[in-house]
Amino acid sequence: EHDPIDLFSSQSGTAGEVLARAGLQPRDIAAIGISNQRETTLVWERSSGKPLCPAIVWQDRRTADDCARLQREGAEPLIRERTGLRLDPYFSGTKLRWILENIPGTRRRAAEGELLFGTVDSWLIWRLTEGRVHATDATNASRTLLFNIHTGAWDRELLELFDIPEPMLPEVKGSSEIYGEASTLGGIPIAGVAGDQQAALFGQACFTPGMAKNTYGTGCFLLMHTGDRAVPSENNLVTTVAWKIGGRMEYALEGSVFIAGAVIQWLRDELGLVRTARECDELAASVPDTGGVYLVPAFAGLGAPHWDPYARGTIFGLTRGTGRAQLCRAALESIAFQSAELVEAMQRDSGITLRELRVDGGVARSEPMLQFQADLLGVEVVRPKNLETTALGAAYLAGLGVGFWSDRQEIARAWEMERTFAPARPRAEMKNLTAGWNEAVERSKGWAADA
């Protein structure tokens, strides 16, 4: 859970500090772009702006049994067809229904228009405009289980399925247009909004179908641009809105890994094996391999392409010779293994062979991990000079929305490569390692099903 007030005050405070340190006034800023955790769910009072409860974070699994029940009732085919998503606790719809069912009086108040729902972008927009604008963009709407990605509107049948009152939903707008003025920051226009992974896709200038990026953050999110075609997945990925610009929606295939950089944090904070991510890299690079160790970081279940909320973290292959270095290397390799699973599924769905993978996010600083990723994929992994492509994408969308940039071609020309990691290990060796990983993943599944 998050405190919604902290979410707003941290962002508002940081924006004010940026202006002060740069010696700028609000009139000097062309526009604000917002990027956010997409599925994190908030409900607040329309009249006061007071949050009804803590925000339920995208990683929260409290609705796993609810999702399982809906699957047994046969709801998933409709959800897949309308939204492109899986029926999983990851997404907002079941989180919102949990709030409506567990806080007394909430459903009645929501139906009467007293309560508002939003993902983090909607909450920030509401607060920045002092309650004048209740809106979201198509990318964030597409992560709720309630939005029809083909019609570009909230789906009445899905609202009935989840028993969600329509008056509490935000207006769905484009990803690059003026939403309103941030009166709490001197009236700067809010002109770009996109979920974090779509913003990173835009920030990586992946504007052509077949281009793909992977963001290595707390989780790991791989998106391939598919143009104006919403490609249905036969390989357990999700189909999502890439962005909506000029009234036109474009789409992407996406695979989500729930635990990526968070596994390094676990080594540091819970096990005390390392003090920093850099130390983890150095230890991993000090050994040629893991010594047969596989670490499956299913701490919050498994995302794509497995979708098992009951899987749990496991370590296989431990011997008396296993030490810190092998565990650090296994943790880094787990991030690459999970990403490689997504690429394989994505290529099968799209019929497109990946030519390169653009990467970003904090863990993309890890050179041992990126080299292993290139070896697994057999294609070049390309790291840009600016790793903060999520923020960059939000800025690009906002700039387009007010004419600061003329078009996407101008943005694409601004993208700069910092380093390329080329495959260096034999394919047969990587296939053998992948077979071991697949066995470890299978053994981790369903562990908490009867808990």
Side-chain angles (χ1 to χ4, degrees):
E1 296 182 347
H2 285 323
D3 181 341
I5 300 301
D6 285 348
L7 286 173
F8 173 70
S9 61
S10 65
Q11 298 309 294
S12 182
T14 299
E17 186 177 351
V18 166
L19 289 173
R21 288 193 183 190
L24 297 173
Q25 298 297 319
R27 64 176 178 273
D28 299 318
I29 306 300
I32 289 172
I34 293 175
S35 182
N36 58 287
Q37 295 179 352
R38 297 169 296 179
E39 298 82 11
T40 296
T41 300
L42 301 94
V43 174
W44 63 94
E45 293 180 346
R46 182 190 296 271
S47 59
S48 67
K50 179 182 177 182
L52 196 69
C53 59
I56 302 179
V57 178
W58 63 273
Q59 288 179 311
D60 191 283
R61 312 303 286 172
R62 74 184 70 181
T63 62
D65 290 343
D66 195 23
C67 290
R69 179 182 58 77
L70 287 167
Q71 286 174 335
R72 290 193 299 271
E73 293 172 357
E76 186 153 39
L78 174 67
I79 290 169
R80 292 289 300 276
E81 191 277 324
R82 301 283 175 87
T83 71
L85 305 178
R86 300 279 305 205
L87 182 50
D88 189 86
Y90 174 27
F91 303 108
S92 307
T94 57
K95 293 175 168 59
L96 177 54
R97 182 158 82 168
W98 187 93
I99 292 172
L100 292 173
E101 290 179 347
N102 285 275
I103 300 178
T106 301
R107 189 174 298 283
R108 175 192 59 76
R109 295 183 67 194
E112 293 174 358
E114 296 179 17
L115 301 177
L116 301 179
F117 154 74
T119 42
V120 175
D121 59 308
S122 296
W123 168 245
L124 295 179
I125 292 165
W126 174 266
R127 293 299 299 259
L128 288 167
T129 62
E130 297 184 291
R132 288 188 295 275
V133 179
H134 182 218
T136 189
D137 89 304
T139 69
N140 282 291
S142 75
R143 313 297 294 191
T144 61
L145 295 173
L146 308 173
F147 181 76
N148 190 316
I149 63 172
H150 309 289
T151 65
W154 299 116
D155 191 286
R156 294 289 179 85
E157 197 169 351
L158 293 176
L159 294 179
E160 291 177 6
L161 175 67
F162 288 100
D163 199 10
I164 305 298
E166 191 168 3
M168 71 186 312
L169 301 179
E171 177 187 1
V172 181
K173 299 172 72 70
S175 307
S176 183
E177 64 175 272
I178 295 175
Y179 280 57
E181 292 186 348
S183 51
T184 62
L185 291 171
I188 304 170
I190 301 168
V193 180
D196 49 9
Q197 304 314 317
Q198 286 92 337
L201 188 71
F202 202 86
Q204 287 275 33
C206 292
F207 302 143
T208 304
M211 295 185 73
K213 72 87 197 173
N214 198 15
T215 297
Y216 300 87
T218 302
C220 205
F221 303 88
L222 195 149
L223 276 73
M224 176 184 282
H225 186 221
T226 61
D228 58 6
R229 188 167 65 103
V231 177
S233 177
E234 302 297 329
N235 293 280
N236 293 324
L237 302 178
V238 301
T239 306
T240 194
V241 176
W243 43 73
K244 180 181 178 183
I245 298 177
R248 176 172 171 260
M249 282 205 295
E250 297 174 44
Y251 299 91
L253 281 167
E254 176 177 337
S256 304
V257 169
F258 295 154
I259 300 293
V263 71
I264 309 302
Q265 296 170 342
W266 176 71
L267 293 179
R268 181 193 66 196
D269 299 339
E270 272 67 50
L271 298 191
L273 294 185
V274 295
R275 289 167 294 179
T276 64
R278 182 175 180 179
E279 183 182 4
C280 182
D281 278 0
E282 291 171 350
L283 283 166
S286 72
V287 291
D289 53 50
T290 68
V293 173
Y294 291 93
L295 192 167
V296 182
F299 305 144
L302 288 169
H306 306 284
W307 298 107
D308 183 352
Y310 301 108
R312 288 296 178 266
T314 51
I315 302 174
F316 294 101
L318 292 172
T319 68
R320 182 63 182 81
T322 302
R324 290 197 305 151
Q326 287 79 13
L327 287 172
C328 285
R329 189 173 184 92
L332 290 176
E333 289 187 359
S334 77
I335 299 170
F337 276 125
Q338 292 176 98
S339 299
E341 290 179 314
L342 302 181
V343 170
E344 182 181 350
M346 208 162 277
Q347 290 181 139
R348 290 199 300 267
D349 276 336
S350 67
I352 299 170
T353 300
L354 193 70
R355 298 177 63 181
E356 69 173 23
L357 180 64
R358 295 187 174 186
V359 299
D360 54 75
V363 189
R365 296 183 178 91
S366 172
E367 298 192 353
M369 190 277 292
L370 291 185
Q371 183 58 59
F372 190 76
Q373 186 75 88
D375 293 336
L376 272 180
L377 297 178
V379 300
E380 291 185 341
V381 172
V382 183
R383 184 169 65 188
K385 286 187 176 179
N386 188 340
L387 286 180
E388 299 299 339
T389 52
T390 299
L392 190 62
Y396 282 153
L397 289 165
L400 278 177
V402 296
F404 187 87
W405 284 286
S406 57
D407 54 33
R408 295 188 215 179
Q409 287 69 36
E410 184 179 357
I411 292 170
R413 288 192 295 270
W415 185 88
E416 294 183 278
M417 182 268 290
E418 184 263 326
R419 181 176 171 184
T420 296
F421 297 81
R425 295 169 70 173
R427 296 300 299 153
E429 178 187 0
M430 303 315 294
K431 286 182 179 179
N432 287 336
L433 290 173
T434 299
W437 167 260
N438 292 339
E439 175 65 18
V441 169
E442 286 305 310
R443 295 188 182 205
S444 76
K445 289 183 177 179
W447 186 263
D450 297 324

